[in-house]
Amino acid sequence: MNEYNFAYLDEQTKRMIRRAILKGLAIPGYQVPFASREMPMPYGWGTGGVQVSAATLTPDDTLKVIDQGADDTTNAVSIRKFFERTAGIETTEETEKATVIQTRHRIPEQKLREDQILVYQVPIPEPLRFLEPRETETRKMHSLEEYGLMHVKLYEDISQHGQIATSYAYPVRVSERYVMDPSPIPKFDNPKLEMDAIQLFGAGREQRIYAVPPHTKLVSLDFEDYPFEASKADHACDLCGAQDSYLDELITDDQGGRMFVCSDTDYCRCRREAGHIGRLGVPAQ
Amino acid sequence: MTPLLQVRDISKHYGARIGCTDVGFDLYPGEVMGIVGESGSGKSTLLNCLAGHLPPDRGEVIFDTRADGPVDTVTMSEPARRMLARTDWAFVHQHARDGLRMTVSAGGNIGERLMAVGTRHYGDIRSRATDWLERVEIDENRIDDRPSAFSGGMQQRLQIARNLVTGPRLVFMDEPTGGLDVSVQARLLDLVRGLVREMGLSALIVTHDLAVVRLLADRLMVMKDGHVVEAGLTDQVLDDPQHGYTQLLVSSVLQV
């Protein structure tokens, strides 16, 4: 096939990562340290997610990679190519056909199945990091379930903005135990975290892996008088007319023109092919 | 009456050097005890051992808990000790920066302990914070300002509010007036004295300023080179010092 070992990493490394993944699945939300390897891409480009994907993939798998919901952005294209070349596996842009989906900053709109695995790229796995800079202290707080500080952040949001202004990387409590950073997904996606598929989180630079098994209970943190709200732009998609999907706002000219489109490109394409047309859309060929 | 805190034979060594050694005393509810001595005499080591920040080499610190009565806090589990530290205990640092979260607003600082013990209602937290700002004489429209925008005296008062909001029964204070000018010191002492009386707090105050203990403390312990050299009622120790070192200390106070 080629001179790379299957999926780039050597077998010992993959075993080590799989062990971390299994431990993560056994303790949902717990950050498992692992010996992150140098990958042929810069930190911040998904080195953690790529390692988890590499350890998860089998020759029969079909891989989909999305970046902010899109299949055709630099990050997604280059990671897809990376695995095409080093693993020789099938890749796809269709959520339906994928068995492993590596994602950055989004959960696909389409409901995932039990036989699918969602791999997240995580920049900063520690939800308490910006409140308590000492790693020794945050670990202790996790082990003793001292999570009052997380609410201090939400308190600050409300006191400054009149509402919980945290709109991405919104902290969740996993199985009534660990507080977890769900990676920088919009809080619109938080309710979707309770899903049928396995979710794996890899942080390469920070050398942490964590996981959420299927059907796990996740609660987004909030206050009694300021409950959690999954928010999105108050529009319909201008291409496919979807009311229920997360939207990107695009500036189209310097005259104030703008349009809202689904951030999940595959979802948008499927809808247009099924005949839905938005405000600025054209029928699919 | 059961003492709130019973300290037995506490010793802490740093290698061959003595931090503090063989310290023992009882502290009763509502009582304020001062610990004085020069720099390096082991006052802060002792306070940190008692408050659970440092593990002592030997000895017992028995605290009369609300739920289980007297318990040795040195041997109790860490989660239980940390729980105690944010409910029934309070620790006021010399430098307010050590005790405050400088990147979090005044309201958030006061609310942190409440949220740590499970309060999840923003409106309640907000009104408790406003109430406490008023009690420590900080204007309530400063509630959303960060402590970095506060003066030294205000920071120290905010630190006190942040610590007392959960209604602790025992307050540890490490040089609470250090680094403040005299008029600010006087207001702070006034405030602390008022709060101690009003809330029936017990307090341990470490200081090298004899005026502070004269004003606040019922009883006094004088430390030198890690040992307690003299203990007794504050007025008695200050007006009729027996030990040579205490005599030196009392006579060293500058008169204006």
Side-chain angles (χ1 to χ4, degrees):
Chain A
M1 182 177 67
N2 58 44
E3 55 268 52
Y4 289 109
N5 187 38
F6 178 74
Y8 185 75
L9 292 172
D10 61 279
E11 292 303 312
Q12 282 302 323
T13 301
K14 285 196 269 182
R15 278 184 67 180
M16 175 269 294
I17 294 172
R18 285 176 196 140
R19 255 188 234 129
I21 291 172
L22 289 174
K23 183 169 179 182
L25 282 166
I27 319 172
Y30 172 72
Q31 298 167 42
V32 185
F34 79 111
S36 177
R37 299 289 192 250
E38 290 254 341
M39 297 302 283
M41 60 183 68
Y43 288 129
W45 282 62
T47 53
V50 164
Q51 289 179 75
V52 171
S53 294
T56 312
L57 286 172
T58 66
D60 304 331
D61 272 322
T62 307
L63 179 73
K64 170 184 162 85
V65 185
I66 49 177
D67 171 7
Q68 311 266 10
D71 288 281
D72 49 5
T73 49
T74 322
N75 200 211
V77 170
S78 57
I79 291 174
R80 203 159 54 223
K81 275 200 181 140
F82 174 77
F83 281 116
E84 277 170 10
R85 182 151 164 220
T86 60
I89 50 162
E90 291 268 312
T91 57
T92 180
E93 294 195 0
E94 291 171 47
T95 309
E96 179 68 30
K97 287 186 182 157
T99 52
V100 176
I101 304 172
Q102 181 171 334
T103 175
R104 173 172 179 265
H105 298 192
R106 273 314 307 279
I107 295 175
E109 301 292 353
Q110 191 183 336
K111 195 168 178 295
L112 299 183
R113 301 183 311 265
E114 271 182 351
D115 60 343
Q116 291 178 311
I117 297 177
L118 187 58
V119 177
Y120 295 78
Q121 303 170 197
V122 182
I124 293 170
E126 179 52 71
L128 301 161
R129 173 67 49 86
F130 294 110
L131 301 155
E132 174 55 67
R134 289 168 295 176
E135 179 78 17
T136 47
E137 186 66 16
T138 52
R139 275 195 224 182
K140 191 165 274 178
M141 290 160 81
H142 279 294
S143 60
L144 300 178
E145 279 188 77
E146 288 181 3
Y147 290 130
L149 201 52
M150 209 67 248
H151 275 85
V152 173
K153 180 176 188 292
L154 303 180
Y155 170 94
E156 288 291 286
D157 265 5
I158 301 173
S159 70
Q160 282 170 26
H161 306 289
Q163 57 176 346
I164 297 180
T166 303
S167 57
Y168 65 95
Y170 195 101
V172 291
R173 188 113 194 225
V174 186
S175 273
E176 298 175 359
R177 179 60 182 84
Y178 285 96
V179 166
M180 182 186 94
D181 182 342
S183 88
I185 58 171
K187 67 176 169 184
F188 173 78
D189 282 345
N190 267 24
K192 287 193 269 177
L193 284 163
E194 287 187 13
M195 62 164 74
D196 298 343
I198 293 177
Q199 300 173 80
L200 306 174
F201 299 77
R205 180 184 46 209
E206 303 283 331
Q207 314 200 321
R208 294 288 184 278
I209 285 172
Y210 50 104
V212 175
H215 314 292
T216 302
K217 187 180 167 202
L218 286 105
V219 180
S220 304
L221 302 181
D222 59 2
F223 284 104
E224 287 160 16
D225 44 349
Y226 285 85
F228 171 80
E229 204 180 332
S231 59
K232 68 184 263 291
D234 191 17
H235 281 267
C237 173
D238 282 335
L239 294 180
C240 75
Q243 304 270 1
D244 57 351
S245 75
Y246 191 73
L247 301 174
D248 287 337
E249 182 179 5
L250 302 180
I251 306 291
T252 51
D253 53 33
D254 59 0
Q255 311 296 313
R258 63 190 59 203
M259 65 189 293
F260 289 87
V261 294
C262 293
S263 92
D264 187 336
T265 50
D266 177 56
Y267 181 74
C268 200
R269 185 182 53 76
C270 289
R271 276 183 55 88
R272 273 179 291 150
E273 282 174 4
H276 299 280
I277 300 176
R279 186 174 63 92
L280 303 170
V282 287
Q285 279 95 45
Chain B
M1 186 160 66
T2 328
L4 187 68
L5 190 73
Q6 302 172 56
V7 179
R8 298 278 172 269
D9 198 22
I10 284 289
S11 297
K12 173 74 185 172
H13 291 257
Y14 298 106
R17 266 184 279 279
I18 297 174
C20 62
T21 188
D22 299 329
V23 181
F25 61 88
D26 287 345
L27 184 73
Y28 286 87
E31 193 177 32
V32 179
M33 170 116 132
I35 304 171
V36 296
E38 60 192 8
S39 297
S41 59
K43 319 180 292 275
S44 296
T45 299
L46 174 63
L47 198 71
N48 283 322
C49 285
L50 299 182
H53 297 171
L54 275 178
D57 296 336
R58 202 172 60 235
E60 293 177 329
V61 180
I62 298 162
F63 181 74
D64 186 18
T65 57
R66 282 180 219 240
D68 306 319
V71 180
D72 184 6
T73 61
V74 177
T75 52
M76 86 188 333
S77 70
E78 191 174 13
R81 187 163 56 236
R82 283 172 71 112
M83 189 62 183
L84 210 54
R86 59 174 188 264
T87 52
D88 261 0
W89 289 359
F91 196 103
V92 178
H93 292 263
Q94 173 175 7
H95 302 291
R97 285 168 179 275
D98 296 337
L100 291 172
R101 289 196 190 275
M102 299 306 282
T103 54
V104 168
S105 70
N109 263 293
I110 297 178
E112 182 180 341
R113 269 178 166 240
L114 293 171
M115 293 182 247
V117 296
T119 311
R120 293 287 179 264
H121 192 283
Y122 176 83
D124 288 353
I125 296 168
R126 188 88 176 164
S127 61
R128 295 275 294 275
T130 313
D131 176 45
W132 266 98
L133 281 180
E134 193 188 310
R135 288 172 78 164
V136 297
E137 299 165 16
I138 296 175
D139 199 302
E140 72 173 81
N141 64 27
R142 302 297 301 267
I143 190 167
D144 292 330
D145 291 355
R146 291 183 175 185
S148 47
F150 286 9
S151 69
M154 282 167 77
Q155 287 180 3
Q156 199 58 284
R157 291 196 301 257
L158 179 62
Q159 194 194 177
I160 289 170
R162 166 188 159 90
N163 271 287
L164 296 188
V165 65
T166 47
R169 292 186 295 155
L170 175 60
V171 187
F172 300 97
M173 293 194 194
D174 190 1
E175 309 262 10
T177 58
L180 301 178
D181 70 57
V182 283
S183 59
V184 176
Q185 257 187 41
R187 272 180 70 193
L188 187 77
L189 290 175
D190 225 29
L191 173 76
V192 172
R193 190 161 58 165
L195 289 172
V196 164
R197 296 281 175 275
E198 183 189 328
M199 299 175 71
L201 296 173
S202 301
L204 275 172
I205 301 179
V206 160
T207 179
H208 55 237
D209 189 342
L210 293 181
V212 170
V213 287
R214 173 78 88 177
L215 206 61
L216 288 178
D218 303 313
R219 276 197 303 146
L220 195 58
M221 250 172 34
V222 184
M223 288 188 73
K224 170 115 177 76
D225 299 333
H227 296 269
V228 176
V229 295
E230 192 166 352
L233 296 175
T234 304
D235 292 345
Q236 179 193 334
V237 174
L238 292 183
D239 293 340
D240 183 20
Q242 301 294 310
H243 190 273
Y245 175 71
T246 318
Q247 292 170 356
L248 177 74
L249 200 65
V250 171
S251 60
S252 306
V253 176
L254 293 176
Q255 300 297 325
V256 187

